[in-house]
Amino acid sequence: KSHFFELNLAKLLTEIGYEPLTFNKSDRPDMVLFPKKEENDLENFLHNDELKILVETTSADILLLSKIEADLENFKEHTTKVLKINAQRTLIVGESIAKNIPGQIQCLLKKFHPFTIITFENLEYLKKKINEKGDNSWEKVGKVLMHDGIVEKEFIDSIFV
């Protein structure tokens, strides 16, 4: 189920206009997302200063606090060991978000690096707004995918007015 979810997510991100790098080992992020890639050599790209977002997914029906914390803790592992990806933040995608998560966001932002949480449904909504407005510029999409905390439809609407 998790591999299928990751494939669907990669397809959706590509349809939005940003093709991610995908990984399939457990000691790596699920994907790396970026607005553009100037460096052609993959290893150099992963280590250089171009903007990169680590993408973590869960195929569980509900994204739980423990999974979010584990994904955020893995950021240090992914950026300092193994591939040493020079990334700036984490994007966490799930089917739905546990009801206790919104109340934990500020604590998590203080404890960890910058991160964004979005549901697959809201990513689909983002794609719909991009198609309606004909604008998939990083100026707008980046505001959504680099929003600190949870991305809701109302926030997407505020970007794509």
Side-chain angles (χ1 to χ4, degrees):
K1 183 178 176 181
S2 65
H3 185 65
F4 181 69
F5 187 83
E6 289 172 22
L7 289 174
N8 281 336
L9 178 58
K11 181 178 182 260
L12 178 57
L13 291 170
T14 301
E15 290 169 355
I16 287 171
Y18 299 92
E19 189 170 343
L21 295 173
T22 57
F23 299 96
N24 59 5
K25 290 189 175 183
S26 62
D27 63 342
R28 310 222 183 344
D30 297 324
M31 296 171 213
V32 175
L33 186 66
F34 47 91
K36 60 182 179 174
K37 187 168 110 180
E38 302 291 332
E39 174 63 56
N40 289 328
D41 181 80
L42 179 59
E43 188 171 348
N44 286 340
F45 170 69
L46 292 175
H47 301 130
N48 73 18
D49 290 334
E50 291 180 63
L51 176 65
K52 289 172 279 302
I53 302 168
L54 301 185
V55 181
E56 297 287 357
T57 63
T58 182
S59 58
D61 292 336
I62 299 174
L63 184 57
L64 300 174
L65 182 61
S66 58
K67 169 65 170 142
I68 292 169
E69 289 177 320
D71 286 343
L72 294 174
E73 287 170 3
N74 283 338
F75 182 82
K76 186 173 184 181
E77 193 82 7
H78 297 321
T79 57
T80 61
K81 300 176 181 171
V82 190
L83 291 177
K84 298 180 184 171
I85 301 167
N86 185 14
Q88 290 71 28
R89 66 186 306 116
T90 302
L91 174 67
I92 303 173
V93 183
E95 283 295 326
S96 66
I97 300 167
K99 295 196 184 318
N100 69 329
I101 303 299
Q104 299 295 319
I105 293 299
Q106 290 309 311
C107 291
L108 292 169
L109 285 167
K110 286 178 187 170
K111 183 177 178 182
F112 296 103
H113 61 282
F115 66 90
T116 305
I117 299 172
I118 191 167
T119 62
F120 200 83
E121 177 184 337
N122 284 346
L123 268 177
E124 289 276 4
Y125 186 75
L126 173 61
K127 177 184 161 188
K128 177 183 169 218
K129 295 305 272 188
I130 288 169
N131 290 338
E132 284 176 9
K133 301 295 182 180
D135 185 357
N136 76 335
S137 67
W138 187 253
E139 180 182 342
K140 291 193 176 202
V141 174
K143 285 180 183 176
V144 175
L145 299 182
M146 294 182 57
H147 173 71
D148 287 340
I150 300 171
V151 173
E152 301 288 351
K153 287 179 182 171
E154 297 79 17
F155 181 72
I156 296 170
D157 288 340
S158 75
I159 302 299
F160 289 87
V161 288

